[in-house]
Amino acid sequence: MKKLTLFVVCMCSSLSLFAQTAIPVLKFKASPTISVSKPILLDSTDVNKKAFEDKKMLQTIVSTDEVRKSQTIVNAAGDSVLTLNNGGKYTVQLLAFNIDADRYCEAKLDISATDMLEVYVNGKREKDKDTTEDSLKKAKKLTIDLKLEPRRYEVIIKRLATSDKSSELKAAILPDKKDSLAQIVLSTDPKRRIFINDILDGNRLQGVSLSSTGQYYIVNTKMTYPGGKNTVSTQEVRELKTNKLVTRLSSDLNPRWMTGKNHLLYSRKGKTDRNLVVLDIPSLKETVWVENIPFDAYYVTPDEQSILISRREEIPEDKGDLKRVLSPSDRSGAFRGRNVLYIYSLADHTMQQILFGRSNIYIADIRCDSQKALLMRSERDLTKRPFSIQTLYELDLKTLQLDSLLTDAFMNRAKYSPDGKELLLTGGAAAFNKLGENLPVGQISNDYDTQAYIYNLQTKHIEPITKNFNPTIEDAEWSVYDNKIYFKAEDKDCQHVYQYNPKTKAYALLDLPEDVISSFQVSDTQPVAIFRGEKATNAYRLYSYDLNTKKSTLLEDPFANQLDELALSPVSPWNFTSQDGSTIEGRYVLPPNFDPTKKYPMIVYYYGGTSPTARVFESSYPLQCYAAQGYVVYTLNPSGTTGYGQEFAARHVNAWGKRTADEIIEGTRKFVNEHSFVDSTKIGCVGASYGGFMTQYLQTQTQLFSAAVSHAGISAISSYWGEGYWGVGYSGVASADSYPWNNPELYVKQSPLFQADKINTPLLLLHGTVDTNVPIGESIQMYNALKVLGKKVEFITVKDENHGIGGYERRIDWNKSIYAWFAKWLKDQPQWWEALYPER
């Protein structure tokens, strides 16, 4: 809160005028003056037969950090003229100031100076001046056209003084007459509002891997430079105790730690196939361990005597232009691939196939003593959900005998206990004949609400250990060090780590300093762990954790410097009790410079699928960015969300908007009634995927919203069920046992397309052109319907993008389209939208 207050004070103290007259720049940050010299003239001309001119010294490279970090502020005097001391005949200096606009607008930047200049706006060189004058009256003026979006613009002026005498400079912003209501702020304050570029640019923590000894770790970071065209990935090995760098690895390597050793294993191209290479970390000595073995994936046994190898084979395609589709999943391109398993002996260097057939099978785990391995087989069965059956096998690695352990459609993962006597299984609550279910009669469990079970290999007994545990299991590790199970779990709108003691059957929440933990790894031999996490107000950070003292230590915060520039808004919880007595949890973000006496437009965001809207900073829909545009942002986790218990998650099944839409509407109305700073006539909503469906469906149920955005939304449940690559599978959860032929009311009544005539809210439809999850036809048919009905609708397609928007420039343009749409309808500011999409 202190940072936000500082930003407000600094911004208010800077020059701020309504854009009806010229706005002079009165303050500049200034770097030290840097003396430069003419080059030694060996010849009278260069290779182009041109003589040396002083203006070439303006090309002297000076780091922009010299002015960004500077604490020196220089002020313009009478007539807004800045007088500059040169300190020498030839000197270079950087001057900087910032421009912040409250909305999209157009303006001109006029600069007059007696020196030679280069002018940069957000790092791009816009104009040059290569003449010098003895007074501003004679000086050539530079004019730069600006199209200002509601974000920070940094102006840097590089000047070359060619005289000992002082220089003069004058700068001003001239807003366009048509944008007379725009408020433009000029300042030297380093704090700024967040914009979508901040979610993409900068140095980010990508991944981490802890050695089983607990002595070393690998950290991966990725630096994305503005514009997205230049990225640098780094992969470093560090010592955990001291955090000292040991070595850097090529970013294209995919190294893994060997069990019980400080050795890294990775592959390189060999003469005929792939070599496996061992790197001893203490000595940094590299050794070729295995030469020329073919694999797509490999798994080394802990005793390093064998390697289990997976190779990919494909069911042959039909010849010619006609293709027989073998299964609904055959359209995705991955269906025909099969994993074939082999075992490679390090003793005699032989490699033999373990299993033969057409089934898809993968390696689930290898026992700590290297005697046995778990294999999982998946077979399609489209006659009943979830449309596949999983069979768990145990393979004796010495005799290569295979024993069948369990067969269940709702099981998904299996791992050995450290002593190899039990298995940790995960799957839906419906697994093992609904052994893990904790639901009222008549409800169907949400298969995405993953549960955990312990299976005794000797007694064959299965114990459901999360039946009364509300968080949804995301990942699990049964620690060799302390024999505890560490669950990474979806816990309401957070992802927490819980320690489970199989002996006492007790859960303990680890007190970690981040709200969303994306990975948690425990050493096999030391009481240490390493984890990666973020909050709604900071990007991913890396920590170590002492299992004995319960203390976390920060190891890496690559986004820290950029985060310090941002004036983020605080995130506050806000829950309400729905009509049926359920507690619906949510939170809200206020705009920077928030004034409780004013009225603000509001944006409502909700989940896309069934997962909660988590407390994350890095997101496709960053709530802080919406708040920075001047909106109150409210998000909630309505019925059907996982992480709130089985019964709450099961409300998602066969609902398709029932109850969920009512809660979103009820919550929005109650939030507005309790918060007088919200303008009840200017409320927008946005969602993607299932959330995009919710956007469309909500507009058929209420007139509450003044603008709506649906990205990759489902308009007709039946066409999504039949056409989406995931349609049948996802509907097997969301529409469990319901099909167009046995429950037409669900497929028609809950489909927004069949109620399109009720939609009166201006609706923006966004869709990637190659979306395989929700085909683009879902937006096309809603767009067509609303156009025929004469409703306010726009449809933007994003070229070559799938269900999510991944391309750097496309992602920025896509977000700007959303911002501009809301500005048009929630702020009565159509200029941004019209600039992006002029009438044709």
Side-chain angles (χ1 to χ4, degrees), residues 200-217:
L200 305 180
D201 295 345
N203 203 15
R204 292 303 207 287
L205 185 64
Q206 297 291 298
V208 62
S209 176
L210 179 67
S211 67
S212 67
T213 65
Q215 293 177 271
Y216 299 95
Y217 68 93

Side-chain angles (χ1 to χ4, degrees), residues 658-669:
K658 295 176 184 176
R659 194 171 189 169
T660 305
D662 293 340
E663 289 171 355
I664 293 172
I665 294 167
E666 183 183 3
T668 301
R669 284 181 171 151

Side-chain angles (χ1 to χ4, degrees), residues 484-522:
K484 307 286 177 54
I485 299 174
Y486 291 87
F487 287 113
K488 182 168 69 71
E490 212 171 57
D491 192 5
K492 298 183 178 180
D493 61 356
C494 298
Q495 279 189 176
H496 288 146
V497 176
Y498 284 84
Q499 182 192 71
Y500 177 75
N501 189 328
K503 291 183 179 180
T504 64
K505 304 185 188 309
Y507 284 93
L509 173 65
L510 301 192
D511 184 16
L512 304 179
E514 302 290 350
D515 290 334
V516 177
I517 309 300
S518 64
S519 67
F520 188 89
Q521 302 167 42
V522 182

Side-chain angles (χ1 to χ4, degrees), residues 21 33 97 305 389 400 435 496 582 620 640 642 651 734 779 797:
T21 58
T33 54
F97 66 93
Q305 297 302 303
I389 299 174
L400 298 186
L435 186 63
H496 288 146
S582 299
S620 296
T642 54
R651 299 177 187 180
S779 287
T797 65

Side-chain angles (χ1 to χ4, degrees), residues 135-146:
S135 71
L136 277 182
K137 292 181 180 179
K138 300 177 182 178
K140 176 184 175 183
K141 182 170 67 175
L142 297 181
T143 298
I144 299 169
D145 293 324
L146 300 174

Side-chain angles (χ1 to χ4, degrees), residues 317-318 322-332 335-336:
E317 295 275 2
D318 295 308
L322 303 183
K323 173 185 175 181
R324 177 191 174 207
V325 178
L326 303 179
S327 164
S329 301
D330 194 17
R331 296 168 55 228
S332 69
F335 169 79
R336 297 189 178 220

